[in-house]
Structures are given as structure tokens and as C-alpha cells.
Amino acid sequence: VQLQASGGGLVQAGGSLRLSCAASGSIFAINHMGWYRQTPGMQRELVATITSGGTTNYVDSVKGRFTISRDNAKRSVYLQMNSLKPEDTAVYYCNANLIQKWRDLGRDYWGQGTLVTVSS
């Protein structure tokens, strides 16, 4: 199983970026999916999550600016980031809790990280 993230880059403050992450491999079902971010010397923090039913959750600092969505048919999760701020600069990681076989427990998988840089 692999998670492939894309969409990071350099953007000016106030701009927008859209991150994408697709899961591939032997997958029976996908539970929750999400995005986390990490800056040097800091712990990885949750940005947003979305359940298999579409319920979303956001860290307070991105509420109203970021939108998480998923396409179950494409096994993908997205993060639309608007009104970006310099403090949003980080490496963003996608996460998915996947079930590979029927009756198996879900297990967390991580993408490789994509760098988002917001200039002031």
C-alpha cells in the first residue's frame, strides 16, 4: 500500500493551493483520512480529517480557510487551502487508516510529505 501526495509549492500569502493524496495497492476499505503538517523542531500536528461518511474535523487555526474532501472511488483525499498565511508553511503529510483484508483491523499509512511554503 502506498499513499502518494502532491500539490505542494511556493505561494504568496493570501494565495491558494490544493493538495492531493491517492492510495494504491491492495485495499479492502478506507476508514478515516487526513492531513497533518510538520515544521522543523516541532511535532507533527493534525490539520484536518474526514471520516468514511464525510464528517470533517479541523484544527482551529485553519477553520474557514481549508477544506478537506475525499473521493472514495479514486481512493483519494484532498486539501483545498485558501487565504494561506506564512505560518501555514510546513511539510504536509496525508494519512489514511486502511483495511487490506476483510475482518482485518485498520492500520495507519502515511504519504511521503509535500512542502508548502507561504511567503509574506
Side-chain angles (χ1 to χ4, degrees):
V1 173
Q2 283 190 327
L3 295 182
Q4 183 67 43
S6 61
L10 174 64
V11 64
Q12 287 188 332
S16 298
L17 282 175
R18 185 176 189 247
L19 305 183
S20 300
C21 177
S24 61
S26 178
I27 300 170
F28 176 75
I30 303 178
N31 294 322
H32 54 269
M33 306 181 82
W35 291 93
Y36 292 70
R37 64 187 179 188
Q38 189 171 23
T39 54
M42 301 295 288
Q43 285 190 338
R44 192 173 296 185
E45 69 163 350
L46 181 149
V47 176
T49 60
I50 184 168
T51 67
S52 58
T55 300
T56 59
N57 180 56
Y58 299 91
V59 66
D60 286 346
S61 60
V62 308
K63 285 181 180 177
R65 300 188 298 122
F66 291 11
T67 302
I68 188 170
S69 61
R70 63 189 283 172
D71 185 329
N72 292 326
K74 295 182 178 179
R75 297 176 172 178
S76 295
V77 62
Y78 310 96
L79 187 67
Q80 179 65 44
M81 304 185 294
N82 299 328
S83 303
L84 282 161
K85 303 176 180 180
E87 51 264 42
D88 294 318
T89 296
V91 176
Y92 284 71
Y93 297 89
C94 61
N95 165 269
N97 187 270
L98 306 174
I99 300 172
Q100 287 196 270
K101 296 179 182 178
W102 183 51
R103 291 188 173 178
D104 274 2
L105 295 176
R107 176 187 166 188
D108 279 337
Y109 291 84
W110 293 90
Q112 83 281 14
T114 183
L115 177 62
V116 171
T117 303
V118 184
S119 63
S120 57

